[in-house]
Amino acid sequence: MIRVLLADDQALVRAGFRALLDAQPDIEVAGEAADGAEAVAQVRELRPDVALMDIRMPVLDGLAATRRITDDQGLDAVKVVMLTTFELDEYVFEAIRSGASGFLVKDTEPDELLRAVRAVVAGDALLSPGVTRRLIAEFAARSKAPADVVGLGELTEREREVMALVGIGLSNEEIARRLVVSPLTAKTHVSRTMVKLGARDRAQLVVLAYESGLVRPGWLG
């Protein structure tokens, strides 16, 4: 059973999400929060698999709440998905930088929301290639010298290659086609890379790929 925490200051939004999620045989709503501070407290108490976190909330906004959750090593298993009003929300970059596993627009189709909840628990990407490219473009605009990423030296050449492909937004299936390997092999390489780097998920792997210099602005195409 996938346990979900709903964090949104609008009761109607929470009620709609709860009705949809609770109707699924493999998902249950573990709790609700009306502000960021309450969301952090609920996550610490309930330890849900996924926290659906609105960005704009009173007391403590969703970005600050996400940072508190992702900075807590005891909450490593909790995946945070940010809820935004528009796909081009100015906070999307900062949400991923803060440790969120992805984001959804609030008016997403019900099936897409359900797919996203299941996907993030499975460790799959919630960022489309287009969104990933925008994130990399944002990194380019704020570019500094490549950072020393802990664990990078432990990667094999193939794992570095896979990390770079994840960084430019490719899915496991697309990586498999690019490298002429099976999707399972591609997924295994991605998983091993994440473990070696201590990355929470693919979204963080994108961040590390750019910060380490494996992905460069000229790759945006």
Side-chain angles (χ1 to χ4, degrees):
M1 184 68 72
I2 299 172
R3 302 173 67 252
V4 179
L5 175 76
L6 302 176
D8 195 295
D9 62 335
Q10 298 182 41
L12 189 59
V13 171
R14 297 199 308 272
F17 283 162
R18 175 180 279 277
L20 174 64
L21 295 171
D22 275 343
Q24 307 306 307
D26 60 333
I27 302 174
E28 67 176 4
V29 175
E32 298 183 18
D35 61 63
E38 186 180 2
V40 174
Q42 290 272 21
V43 165
R44 287 173 175 162
E45 177 183 352
L46 301 173
R47 304 298 172 101
D49 299 297
V50 180
L52 293 180
M53 184 84 68
D54 187 23
I55 288 182
R56 297 179 179 90
M57 290 189 292
V59 184
L60 188 71
D61 65 46
L63 294 173
T66 296
R67 282 192 290 270
R68 291 190 185 183
I69 292 169
T70 58
D71 286 346
D72 189 334
Q73 294 185 350
L75 301 175
D76 280 349
V78 180
K79 304 296 185 183
V80 179
V81 176
M82 307 303 299
L83 299 170
T84 70
T85 305
F86 304 104
E87 182 177 302
L88 292 176
D89 194 304
E90 62 182 351
Y91 296 114
V92 168
F93 170 81
E94 189 58 33
I96 302 303
R97 194 68 184 81
S98 297
S101 296
F103 76 96
L104 292 171
V105 289
K106 284 190 176 181
D107 61 353
T108 189
E109 293 296 324
D111 286 348
E112 181 65 15
L113 173 65
L114 296 173
R115 184 202 68 78
V117 168
R118 294 179 177 117
V120 73
V121 171
D124 294 333
L126 276 190
L127 300 175
S128 68
V131 172
T132 302
R133 288 171 186 271
R134 287 207 304 277
L135 288 173
I136 296 172
E138 183 69 26
F139 276 122
R142 307 180 184 193
S143 62
K144 299 177 182 177
D148 291 330
V149 173
V150 176
L152 189 65
E154 298 179 19
L155 300 185
T156 65
E157 285 301 313
R158 176 47 59 92
E159 287 166 349
R160 284 172 173 259
E161 189 175 12
V162 167
M163 181 179 175
L165 294 175
V166 170
I168 62 174
L170 299 192
S171 66
N172 288 345
E173 290 73 18
E174 291 168 331
I175 291 172
R177 289 196 294 271
R178 179 76 66 91
L179 301 180
V180 195
V181 298
S182 72
L184 179 59
T185 298
K187 183 176 182 179
T188 299
H189 284 312
V190 172
S191 297
R192 288 177 177 170
T193 301
M194 288 171 56
V195 168
K196 288 183 179 180
L197 297 178
R200 291 172 62 92
D201 46 43
R202 291 177 76 106
Q204 190 174 13
L205 199 57
V206 171
V207 173
L208 294 175
Y210 187 84
E211 289 187 334
S212 67
L214 284 180
V215 175
R216 298 184 295 276
W219 291 16
L220 293 175

